[in-house]
C-alpha cells in the first residue's frame, strides 16, 4: 500500500511562487497517475491538477491553469506541484493522491483517486 507525504507548504506573498512535493513510499509511482487536490477553509475539496501515469498528459482546473504545473519524477518516486503567481484564493490545504490501478487512463477523474497524503498548508497573503 502506498503512503504519500506532502511538503513544501508555507506562507507566501501574493504573486509569489511555491513548489509542493509529494513523496511516495511502499509502492512505485511509475505506473500510476498522480493528482492534486486542495481544500480551502469552509469549502469543498477541489481537484486541481493531475498527471497521467506515462507523464504524457496533464489536467488542470480552470482556477489554476496557466499558473500551476504538475510533474512526476519516477526515479525519485516523487511528484510536484509548481505554483506560480499565487493569489489569496489559493490559500488551502493541498493533498496529493494516486490511484490503485496500473496504467490507469482516468488521470483526470477525481473519483478514481484513493490513497491521499495528510496535506500541506499553503497560505497566501495579500
Amino acid at each position: 500500500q502506498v503512503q504519500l507525504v506532502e511538503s513544501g507548504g508555507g506562507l507566501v506573498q501574493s504573486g509569489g511562487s511555491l513548489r509542493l512535493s509529494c513523496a511516495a513510499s511502499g509502492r512505485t509511482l511509475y505506473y500510476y497517475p498522480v493528482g492534486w487536490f486542495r481544500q480551502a477553509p469552509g469549502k469543498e475539496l477541489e481537484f486541481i491538477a493531475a498527471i497521467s501515469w506515462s507523464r504524457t498528459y496533464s489536467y488542470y482546473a480552470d482556477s489554476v491553469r496557466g499558473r500551476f504545473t504538475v510533474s512526476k519524477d519516477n526515479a525519485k518516486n516523487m511528484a510536484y506541484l509548481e505554483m506560480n503567481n499565487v493569489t489569496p484564493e489559493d490559500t488551502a490545504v493541498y493533498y496529493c493522491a494516486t490511484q490503485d490501478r496500473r496504467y490507469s487512463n482516468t488521470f483526470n477523474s477525481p473519483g478514481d483517486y484513493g490513497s491521499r497524503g495528510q496535506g500541506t498548508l499553503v497560505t497566501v497573503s495579500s
Side-chain angles (χ1 to χ4, degrees):
Q1 186 173 355
V2 64
Q3 291 82 43
L4 302 173
V5 177
E6 302 91 341
S7 62
L11 178 64
V12 60
Q13 288 190 336
S14 185
S17 297
L18 209 60
R19 188 176 83 155
L20 305 184
S21 299
C22 173
S25 61
R27 193 198 72 188
T28 180
L29 290 179
Y30 186 95
Y31 304 109
Y32 304 89
V34 173
W36 286 88
F37 296 75
R38 69 183 181 185
Q39 188 162 27
K43 294 190 177 181
E44 293 185 354
L45 193 66
E46 181 185 11
F47 180 57
I48 58 170
I51 188 166
S52 64
W53 74 268
S54 63
R55 302 183 295 181
T56 304
Y57 306 103
S58 57
Y59 161 84
Y60 297 97
D62 290 343
S63 56
V64 306
R65 186 177 295 116
R67 301 187 298 121
F68 291 11
T69 302
V70 60
S71 61
K72 185 161 69 94
D73 187 330
N74 291 327
K76 295 183 179 179
N77 217 26
M78 299 278 293
Y80 305 95
L81 184 68
E82 188 77 32
M83 305 167 60
N84 296 311
N85 194 24
V86 296
T87 72
E89 288 67 39
D90 295 318
T91 294
V93 177
Y94 285 73
Y95 304 91
C96 64
T98 189
Q99 299 185 14
D100 296 327
R101 187 164 58 92
R102 278 194 177 194
Y103 309 119
S104 168
N105 289 320
T106 60
F107 68 97
N108 55 349
S109 298
D112 288 349
Y113 285 88
S115 303
R116 198 171 73 185
Q118 85 293 342
T120 185
L121 176 62
V122 173
T123 303
V124 182
S125 62
S126 56

